[in-house]
Amino acid sequence: MLAGAMKETCGGNLLENQPQRHYGVTSPISLAPPRERDYLYTQKLTEALKPFGVFESEEELNCRSAVLGKLNNLVKEWIAEVGENKNFPSSSCGGKIFTFGSYRLGVHTKGADIDTLCVAPRYVERSDFFQSFFEKLKLQDGIRNLRAVEDAYVPVIKFEFDGIEIDLVFARLAVQTISDNLDLRDDSHLRSLDIRCIRSLNGCRVTDEILHLVPNKENFRLTLRAIKLWAKRRGIYSNVLGFLGGVSWAMLVARTCQLFPNALASTLVHKFFEFFSTWAWPNPVLLKQPEESNLNLPVWDPRVNPADRYHLMPIITPAYPQQNSTYNVSTSTRTVMVEEFKKALTVTKEIFEGKSDWPKLLEAPNFFQKYKHYIVLTASSSTEKHHLEWVGLVESKIRVLVGNLERNEFITLAHVNPQSFPGARGQYKESNYVSKWFLGIMFKKAENAESVSIDLTYDIQSFTDTVYRQASNINMLKDDMRIEATHLKKKQLHYYLPADYLQKRKKSMPDIGHHTCRLELKRTSVDDGCLDSYRNADVGTQCRDIPSFNDICRSSALKETKRSAILQRASIFAIREKPSSSMQSLAVKGLSIPAVGSVLDSTVAVKTAPLPPNACSIPAVVGQNLILAPTHSQQHLDAIASMSAKNASAHKRGHSPSTEECFKRLRDAGKCSSLGDIMPVPGSDTLRSQRLSSTELPDSSSPIPSSSIRVVKNSIRLTLNR
């Protein structure tokens, strides 16, 4: 009976009468109709998804529809007012709200926001949208947390309307009026538009094209719900961090549906993992053949654009202008995702063999048991408003750090955990809000030698320079914004995380609400590639067992003094070459840390970083007038910071700049006599005045900020033992 009901819901009894249509760039792999057991497996899959809140009730859906109706009426009223002020007849007025993203695809979850687009006629300017319409929203009942992000890659107004979060972007078309039956898939609407309007329209055009290119929308939606939940549970759902975002997952699922047009969701989930675990990346995934157009907009085409040839996992949007939605993917993130595809394939095989069930597919891994070495990246500030901005910027640039680490010849993998964690406030003076991200690091084992010296200073310093550079260019940098990068071994993680995150555990049930949320961050990525609105619920569990940094400093003061004396006599950067007797002598002096699977030795603790024992840190502090300063030429730093982590042919760096060069620069900058000496640099007024005039967000090509801040130079140097 259950299978019969499921068959009717999925339209299985109509398959024989449906004409077979060709979808995608190739013929289907299989046209086989679903079997009886496929309906049972699909029903079990649906039941497994329900505890995770992926389905909304009818009441919640009606509430969303009502809010969108109110917003659409507001837009029409506002456009009529603008037309009247500009002496346009009311008959030519018109405007409309469109939706895109997960809501338009029909796969949004409980509490998710709604991505919306306001389309206006030609006489409505973008400045009208961010001024008069913004003011109109202020006066509207039911609207809270209203803010405008006008300088974003895709400018947006964000607010809550009757408890539902809305992201609203704007586009004006080169037409006199906007009709209610407007079809945005028509390429002619892109004519004579500026780039910001084209970007704003792109979300709707891509979403509508995806729905148009799948054979069965209901099977597509259920499959996509399952895949998105699986990706979030496995920690590989984040476009901004170099994994895949919602649109990319939707296109992969849509391609699977094209290849198996008659399959149900349970089969499609299995085929998804089977197909993409063996896909020959970087061959692109396409939902349809790219179409030519005479609009001369830039499109993804490796035959024409050399940069496109270095994309590692291209998934191409189906709407013109075609773009790669996964340009952030790096070697490490692709490796992690392909590994997860293969693991999931093993589980789905067991499910169809009757050896397992769907909850096993949704088990969350324990990231903190996977690696022996970690880098913890800490962003802190003193106010909630500053922290919302600061963590958004820092998170959007973590992929730069991943790329830097990947280019280190001794690192084979840099795996960032998309979840951020709060820090205990007592650890940071004058920092009430703290967020931490963890990167698992896999080092190459030392071969043909007892030990190999490694220096991570330059890799991390170029990342922090990039963050501060962009913060200054968009006039965001405040005196309370700080970054700190610290190396940890797995056994030291308990200083930074609650014990329940470090236990070996497997959860097949959702852990939503397992902890109270201290600070919920809803922000817009300022990343210069896409508009990514995402939620980060910082777990509010306090780490009571974390000692204060001052206590740790006092307990290890003598050891730190001895090590600092050694560091003052040693070179700032360890030589990244073949193991030599000089490297072995460094290991004797206490500069030793094991590779994965090697014997544990001692590590370096940097003098000015009051951290848990044996931790190595590079702080970049603005609060007490401290910042990590560049020690390399501007040209060399910019080349590294701007180099794409996706460049498969990028050479690993064998060593840092020479010791003599580094000491020379230190002497020129401030005649430093020791590693921790402090040097003055020019004033912050000039820093703030260096903001770029371009409407695009600047990146690594911008000048490094210099301000009335003092510079502390530290290093992270390790030795891998065989």
Side-chain angles (χ1 to χ4, degrees):
M1 181 180 298
L2 182 62
M6 191 68 194
K7 179 184 293 188
E8 187 172 350
T9 301
C10 296
N13 56 344
L14 299 177
L15 286 174
E16 295 82 359
N17 301 324
Q18 290 179 347
Q20 290 297 327
R21 174 187 164 188
H22 180 74
Y23 292 89
V25 295
T26 64
S27 300
I29 292 177
S30 173
L31 294 173
R35 297 165 293 181
E36 192 74 19
R37 70 169 191 169
D38 294 334
Y39 294 99
L40 291 173
Y41 282 125
T42 299
Q43 181 62 33
K44 290 181 179 180
L45 174 61
T46 303
E47 295 300 321
L49 298 179
K50 286 181 179 179
F52 294 90
V54 299
F55 300 105
E56 273 195 327
S57 66
E58 195 69 26
E59 181 181 353
E60 291 168 321
L61 290 172
N62 291 337
C63 182
R64 289 180 181 270
S65 298
V67 166
L68 290 174
K70 292 180 183 179
L71 184 59
N72 194 55
N73 291 335
L74 278 176
V75 165
K76 290 182 179 294
E77 291 176 9
W78 165 66
I79 291 177
E81 293 168 0
V82 173
E84 183 178 351
N85 293 336
K86 297 183 178 182
N87 297 322
F88 281 90
S90 58
S91 59
S92 66
C93 297
K96 188 177 180 181
I97 286 291
F98 293 84
T99 61
F100 61 99
S102 61
Y103 181 81
R104 177 71 180 95
L105 289 172
V107 296
H108 63 283
T109 58
K110 291 183 177 181
D113 62 358
I114 304 178
D115 296 311
T116 55
L117 164 69
C118 170
V119 177
R122 68 176 72 179
Y123 57 82
V124 180
E125 303 283 345
R126 182 171 295 274
S127 58
D128 296 326
F129 177 72
F130 282 100
Q131 293 174 13
S132 59
F133 186 65
F134 187 82
E135 293 300 320
K136 188 177 184 67
L137 290 175
K138 281 184 179 179
L139 303 176
Q140 183 67 27
D141 292 337
I143 289 185
R144 299 173 57 252
N145 298 329
L146 179 66
R147 64 257 189 218
V149 191
E150 196 169 354
D151 291 332
Y153 184 76
V154 182
V156 61
I157 294 178
K158 306 166 73 67
F159 54 94
E160 291 182 21
F161 200 163
D162 291 343
I164 295 176
E165 295 187 14
I166 303 289
D167 288 354
L168 181 61
V169 298
F170 172 83
R172 64 167 183 165
L173 302 185
V175 296
Q176 193 68 24
T177 185
I178 304 297
S179 63
D180 288 335
N181 58 355
L182 176 67
D183 183 6
L184 293 178
R185 292 175 55 220
D186 187 349
D187 291 349
S188 65
H189 293 314
L190 302 179
R191 199 176 303 278
S192 303
L193 298 188
D194 65 49
I195 189 62
R196 290 171 297 179
C197 287
I198 292 174
R199 289 172 185 159
S200 297
L201 288 169
N202 192 52
C204 285
R205 287 168 52 80
V206 169
T207 303
D208 290 348
E209 201 66 52
I210 290 173
L211 289 174
H212 183 72
L213 292 171
V214 295
N216 186 305
K217 292 182 177 59
E218 292 307 314
N219 289 340
F220 163 75
R221 285 170 176 147
L222 183 56
T223 306
L224 182 54
R225 286 184 186 275
I227 294 299
K228 288 181 67 174
L229 177 60
W230 165 82
K232 291 175 182 177
R233 297 285 292 168
R234 302 300 296 182
I236 55 175
Y237 188 103
S238 176
N239 177 65
V240 73
L241 290 177
F243 296 105
L244 303 190
V247 172
S248 299
W249 290 115
M251 287 190 286
L252 292 187
V253 171
R255 183 62 184 135
T256 308
C257 293
Q258 291 178 342
L259 296 172
F260 304 91
N262 297 331
L264 300 184
S266 57
T267 303
L268 289 170
V269 169
H270 173 65
K271 294 299 182 182
F272 175 93
F273 296 124
E274 186 176 63
F275 189 70
F276 289 111
S277 63
T278 58
W279 182 257
W281 305 105
N283 288 332
V285 174
L286 299 166
L287 295 183
K288 70 174 189 179
Q289 290 293 349
E291 298 174 352
E292 298 294 333
S293 177
N294 59 358
L295 297 178
N296 295 322
L297 295 174
V299 299
W300 186 86
D301 189 345
R303 300 169 300 177
V304 177
N305 307 316
D308 293 345
R309 301 169 193 169
Y310 300 105
H311 292 177
L312 297 182
M313 204 173 181
I315 302 172
I316 310 306
T317 57
Y320 180 84
Q322 297 84 11
Q323 301 294 321
N324 176 23
S325 66
T326 59
Y327 58 87
N328 284 342
V329 170
S330 69
T331 302
S332 292
T333 53
R334 187 181 70 174
T335 299
V336 171
M337 286 187 283
V338 172
E339 179 187 354
E340 289 295 338
F341 289 159
K342 294 177 179 178
K343 290 179 180 179
L345 176 61
T346 300
V347 174
T348 55
K349 284 181 178 179
E350 293 176 354
I351 291 172
F352 280 89
E353 292 171 357
K355 300 178 181 178
S356 187
D357 211 341
W358 291 110
K360 183 177 181 180
L361 181 68
L362 303 176
E363 288 177 349
N366 196 327
F367 175 82
F368 300 105
Q369 293 293 330
K370 190 172 183 179
Y371 301 100
K372 293 189 176 182
H373 300 276
Y374 293 86
I375 289 177
V376 54
L377 183 65
T378 304
S380 59
S381 54
S382 60
T383 68
E384 182 176 356
K385 180 179 183 297
H386 289 174
H387 200 61
L388 287 168
E389 298 174 344
W390 188 230
V391 294
L393 176 61
V394 172
E395 187 167 51
S396 73
K397 294 300 175 187
I398 291 178
R399 59 189 172 87
V400 174
L401 175 58
V402 172
N404 291 346
L405 294 172
E406 285 177 346
R407 287 187 288 273
N408 188 304
E409 66 171 340
F410 299 109
I411 293 178
T412 60
L413 188 74
H415 179 186
V416 57
N417 185 352
Q419 183 179 4
S420 66
F421 298 84
R425 299 190 183 189
Q427 295 177 356
Y428 298 88
K429 294 181 179 180
E430 301 180 5
S431 296
N432 294 325
Y433 298 91
V434 180
S435 294
K436 298 176 183 292
W437 295 267
F438 291 82
L439 289 80
I441 304 298
M442 187 176 293
F443 290 104
K444 288 182 180 178
K445 292 184 178 181
E447 297 178 357
N448 304 323
E450 292 300 322
S451 64
V452 177
S453 296
I454 298 176
D455 178 27
L456 301 182
T457 306
Y458 184 65
D459 303 324
I460 295 174
Q461 178 176 312
S462 59
F463 159 71
T464 56
D465 286 341
T466 298
V467 175
Y468 280 108
R469 179 188 301 112
Q470 178 143 346
S472 67
N473 286 331
I474 62 177
N475 206 23
M476 178 194 293
L477 191 61
K478 304 295 189 301
D479 288 342
D480 62 338
M481 294 177 174
R482 312 177 183 188
I483 313 175
E484 185 176 282
T486 306
H487 168 266
L488 298 174
K489 288 171 283 187
K490 182 169 67 174
K491 67 179 183 180
Q492 297 169 323
L493 287 170
H494 69 276
Y495 288 111
Y496 292 85
L497 291 166
D500 56 336
Y501 280 97
L502 305 178
Q503 295 171 354
K504 295 181 180 180
R505 60 186 175 87
K506 287 187 177 181
K507 283 190 176 182
S508 58
M509 292 301 291
D511 47 12
I512 300 171
H514 182 65
H515 300 280
T516 58
C517 292
R518 186 189 69 179
L519 173 65
E520 188 175 86
L521 305 179
K522 183 70 176 70
R523 58 195 181 268
T524 300
S525 167
V526 291
D527 182 18
D528 48 352
C530 64
L531 178 72
D532 254 328
S533 300
Y534 51 94
R535 180 189 307 274
N536 175 59
D538 278 339
V539 181
T541 302
Q542 298 299 317
C543 308
R544 298 183 182 88
D545 60 337
I546 299 179
S548 70
F549 282 2
N550 292 333
D551 292 340
I552 296 170
C553 262
R554 285 193 296 269
S555 67
S556 58
L558 180 60
K559 183 185 296 184
E560 294 300 307
T561 302
K562 292 179 180 179
R563 287 180 176 174
S564 297
I566 295 173
L567 290 177
Q568 292 173 12
R569 294 191 299 269
S571 66
I572 292 180
F573 295 91
I575 301 175
R576 293 190 183 126
E577 293 176 344
K578 293 289 184 181
S580 63
S581 58
S582 62
M583 291 180 180
Q584 296 178 18
S585 66
L586 286 177
V588 174
K589 293 182 180 181
L591 305 179
S592 176
I593 194 163
V596 175
S598 61
V599 180
L600 186 65
D601 202 344
S602 59
T603 62
V604 173
V606 180
K607 172 183 175 182
T608 58
L611 294 170
N614 297 331
C616 304
S617 175
I618 293 186
V621 184
V622 177
Q624 291 294 326
N625 287 336
L626 300 173
I627 192 172
L628 189 67
T631 59
H632 309 280
S633 68
Q634 176 66 43
Q635 293 81 3
H636 188 58
L637 178 62
D638 287 345
I640 293 297
S642 62
M643 185 183 299
S644 170
K646 303 173 288 296
N647 190 339
S649 64
H651 295 290
K652 297 274 190 176
R653 278 184 282 104
H655 58 84
S656 293
S658 68
T659 300
E660 293 181 1
E661 290 181 37
C662 295
F663 276 124
K664 183 178 185 299
R665 286 168 186 152
L666 284 174
R667 288 193 299 269
D668 293 342
K671 305 294 183 183
C672 287
S673 60
S674 69
L675 190 64
D677 283 349
I678 297 175
M679 303 172 291
V681 291
S684 81
D685 291 337
T686 58
L687 165 71
R688 301 294 171 85
S689 66
Q690 290 177 352
R691 183 177 180 183
L692 298 184
S693 59
S694 171
T695 57
E696 306 298 330
L697 289 181
D699 204 330
S700 56
S701 59
S702 311
I704 295 177
S706 59
S707 60
S708 62
I709 24 190
R710 295 174 296 167
V711 177
V712 174
K713 294 183 180 295
N714 293 306
S715 64
I716 292 182
R717 292 179 296 170
L718 316 172
T719 297
L720 298 182
N721 295 326
R722 186 169 58 181

